[in-house]
Amino acid sequence: MSRQQEKRDQAARAAWMYYVGNNTQHEIADRLGISRQMAQRLVAYAVEQGLVRVRIEHPISDCLALADALKTRFGLAICSVVPTDGNNAEALRRMLSVAGAEVVEQFIHAEKPMVINVGSGRTLKAIIDELPEIDRPQHRIVSMVGAISSDGASNRYDVALRAAEKTGSKYFMLPAPLIADSAEDCRQWCSHRVYRVVSELAAHADLTLVGVGSVGPACPLLEDGFVSEEEVSQLVAAGAAGEMIGHIIDGTGRPLVSPLSSRVTSLQWPSSPTRPVIGFAGGAAKHKAIAAVLRGGWLSGLVTDEASARAVLAG
Amino acid sequence: MSRQQEKRDQAARAAWMYYVGNNTQHEIADRLGISRQMAQRLVAYAVEQGLVRVRIEHPISDCLALADALKTRFGLAICSVVPTDGNNAEALRRMLSVAGAEVVEQFIHAEKPMVINVGSGRTLKAIIDELPEIDRPQHRIVSMVGAISSDGASNRYDVALRAAEKTGSKYFMLPAPLIADSAEDCRQWCSHRVYRVVSELAAHADLTLVGVGSVGPACPLLEDGFVSEEEVSQLVAAGAAGEMIGHIIDGTGRPLVSPLSSRVTSLQWPSSPTRPVIGFAGGAAKHKAIAAVLRGGWLSGLVTDEASARAVLAG
DNA sequence: CCATGTAACGAACAAATGCTCATTACATAT
DNA sequence: ATATGTAATGAGCATTTGTTCGTTACATGG
């Protein structure tokens, strides 16, 4: 057994004893014949590696009420609202991950083979990471965004690939960059045979998972270098309120036609979808984007936080 | 909203912030406008109330190896082995609960209506308590042991009832005491119409969950006042190695014929069952009982602890 | 063989948590 | 209104946990 494996094993053991067995780290150390600090490190390592999964079972009535209100107002089938924790971004991300993973798990669990479209974004990535390993080789996972990044290497946002790894499902990548160099280039990418095959598969997906992004200073598209600051300013001036996998929408939820829109290669889906399309997003920066996406009727499910829910309902 | 509800709500919120959001209790206190101690109490309350569910995702290879060995040796379809934590009974119970609940959850999750037989015992009770609330009104849960206790009141071991409450399933109780006053009395109970109906239902169950008990000093049957110390001595002298819902078996796993055996009203099932029958037990006191039950081929699944697994495999 | 970088380790300290106890608020019965 | 029991509260302290830092072990390349 590799050194790495051995460490994970021991960490898992320490985590069992600590979190489930209610031992102190000192007791664990004694039992495993290691130092107190080492026990502490093992437990910390287990948490860091995602070996420890925590769920809060009791729904908070305020959050439940907000979720119900959102369901009614925007015709959602699924809605989960997590408590807001000041503006601690780290905490928010973790909470959305836990709640999001719970929702996704319900679907993934099905034995019946499914096609699952997966978008991009940090929130979605965190959710996939939070998923337990469930073996579902019968499912097919489709990446809705181009897996080819302009600099070639980094595919760190290929959330779909991660999801496929987690579940052992088949993985279908979209052979394109997220944003093509020109409208012509975009048309080329999108007319490739493989693109069309994947796109066709995605059109019949049983489930679609997408992140919702803001458009503005420090927005994901800008941070990840897909658009320039100038382009962002132009988009905002043109009324951009948010985006999903690169598709920009305005405040009413309608697609925003712009120089950019003809260069985005990522997959599209109809408004008021008949199959579940679940969006994940939270945090003050995204209030406007979430509201816009909901107004546009792009989602049938949403996982968000308390403050965002309130803001959206108030708007 | 009731005072109680409000407290649970706030406890859940604190638990989210503490366990998921990674806040300190001080931060939680500030945010909720309460004292540091109060935040601590809320978190503790949430844990105590079972609002917080912890799972360790990574299988420990030693435990996995033991589980595989048990599967092979005793023809089990399912086996889960949790790490042993000295002889901390409390920790053992919690670990078995978590691992057991995980196994049970897999089955309960099914949408297809199921009939589930549920036995008795502290371990099984703890497992049911650990189950998340999943609404499954289509399932039917059958209590394998008499729900009528001799002193009338206490039905604290009616694990099946709890399970039915947790899942919102229909509940079928066995109208009988666990141990009848005499063989004649027993025959009477077992020939009642309702008993026969329930028994018939149980015979076609899709899943059976039972605890495994020891027979000896401080064994469950004695502790709960179902048998006297003298009777236990006699049973042990006659070769009793363990019991499941009152059915005593010897070291080879064969039913032990005794004055008691004709008075036990609880349901029976065939050895080498074709549908899943899962046993739950751990701890030094039960090593002999577990080995006996496995030898008898009564189970197709087992959840136990490392030390027990080793002991059984060594024997 | 040595040099060099990296991981493991434990001591010591700082921070966070849990517990006990005395006090206070509050409800219910008299 | 007053007594009386119960739950809520915070102060103070003990324990537990987390982090930093210097040292030691160990592997790898020269």
Side-chain angles (χ1 to χ4, degrees), chain B residues 68 87 94 103 130 139 152 163 198 202 248 274-275 292 313:
Chain B
D68 284 342
N87 32 4
R94 262 193 296 267
V103 169
E130 182 70 22
H139 295 340
V198 174
I248 316 276
T274 50
R275 316 282 187 89
L313 287 166

Side-chain angles (χ1 to χ4, degrees), chain B residues 114-197:
Chain B
M114 291 177 77
V115 175
I116 303 169
N117 293 339
V118 177
S120 63
R122 290 165 176 79
T123 304
L124 200 50
K125 178 164 175 297
I127 288 169
I128 300 300
D129 284 340
E130 182 70 22
L131 278 180
E133 297 214 353
I134 320 177
D135 206 46
R136 287 292 179 277
Q138 62 268 50
H139 295 340
R140 284 175 287 178
I141 294 186
V142 180
S143 176
M144 302 178 81
V145 297
I148 298 175
S149 58
S150 43
D151 62 349
S154 147
N155 59 347
R156 70 204 142 122
Y157 293 115
D158 197 347
V159 182
L161 178 57
R162 277 188 164 257
E165 282 167 359
K166 261 274 163 75
T167 54
S169 307
K170 280 198 215 71
Y171 165 61
F172 295 82
M173 71 169 244
L174 203 63
L178 171 58
I179 295 178
D181 292 337
S182 65
E184 175 53 28
D185 191 33
C186 180
R187 239 167 289 136
Q188 290 237 343
W189 284 111
C190 298
S191 57
H192 274 308
R193 196 186 62 82
V194 178
Y195 183 100
R196 295 228 299 265
V197 169

Side-chain angles (χ1 to χ4, degrees), chain A residues 1 9 13 16 20-23 31 51-58 60-61 85-86 91 94 132 306, chain B residues 1 9 13 16 20-23 31 51-58 60-61 85-86 91 94 132 306:
Chain A
M1 189 165 32
D9 247 53
R13 190 177 284 271
W16 268 99
V20 185
N22 242 1
N23 295 93
R31 208 142 287 160
L51 272 41
V52 180
R53 186 138 295 135
V54 182
R55 292 269 149 100
I56 311 301
E57 285 291 323
H58 182 80
I60 300 169
S61 48
D85 182 2
R94 261 193 297 266
E306 217 177 350
Chain B
M1 188 166 31
D9 247 52
R13 191 177 283 272
W16 268 98
V20 185
N22 241 1
N23 295 93
R31 207 144 285 159
L51 272 42
V52 181
R53 187 137 296 134
V54 183
R55 293 269 149 101
I56 311 302
E57 286 291 323
H58 182 82
I60 301 168
S61 48
D85 182 1
R94 262 193 296 267
E306 216 177 350

Side-chain angles (χ1 to χ4, degrees), chain B residues 251-273:
Chain B
T252 66
R254 267 186 287 268
L256 188 77
V257 180
S258 75
L260 190 69
S261 57
S262 56
R263 287 165 48 210
V264 175
T265 66
S266 40
L267 299 179
Q268 294 184 287
W269 71 95
S271 180
S272 302

Side-chain angles (χ1 to χ4, degrees), chain A residues 168-199:
Chain A
S169 308
K170 278 197 215 72
Y171 166 61
F172 295 82
M173 71 168 243
L174 203 62
L178 170 58
I179 294 176
D181 292 338
S182 66
E184 175 51 31
D185 191 32
C186 180
R187 239 168 288 135
Q188 290 236 343
W189 284 112
C190 297
S191 57
H192 274 309
R193 196 186 62 82
V194 178
Y195 184 101
R196 295 228 299 267
V197 169
V198 173
S199 161

